[in-house]
Amino acid sequence: MAVTTPCAGFFADRVTRLKFERERQGLTQAALARVAWLNSSELSKMERGRTVPYEEQAQRIAAALRWEGPLEELFAPIDAGEASA
């Protein structure tokens, strides 16, 4: 039986714009990780909102995706409705 606590939601995975943008461009995690000089595990954690990248990592990811917006926005959580749009 799972135990829930008031902070359990804090640790739940969240979809980030990073994942949405990667999938929109038809890239796999492995492909984006390779271009951005990361390992797939690191990228996966960033996509789920589990870790925040260092600025250099964020810049490499943004460059690989040709992201022109603010870096913070790329790693921000998005709601399910926005992800399916």
Side-chain angles (χ1 to χ4, degrees):
M1 181 169 152
V3 176
T4 59
T5 63
C7 67
F10 178 79
F11 295 104
D13 290 343
R14 300 171 299 242
V15 176
T16 62
R17 182 165 304 284
L18 171 59
K19 181 176 181 176
F20 174 74
E21 287 297 320
R22 176 185 59 78
E23 290 177 343
R24 188 179 66 78
Q25 294 186 30
L27 295 169
T28 64
Q29 280 184 343
L32 179 56
R34 190 171 36 254
V35 172
W37 294 33
L38 300 168
N39 66 50
S40 295
S41 175
E42 285 178 303
L43 184 61
S44 175
K45 290 175 187 172
M46 290 174 198
E47 285 188 352
R48 292 179 292 145
R50 290 281 176 119
T51 62
V52 177
Y54 293 109
E55 187 166 347
E56 182 181 322
Q57 292 172 321
Q59 290 172 346
R60 291 193 314 252
I61 292 168
L65 291 173
R66 296 184 191 104
W67 176 259
E68 296 181 3
L71 288 178
E72 297 82 16
E73 190 176 312
L74 183 58
F75 298 93
I78 58 175
D79 64 28
E82 189 176 354
S84 63

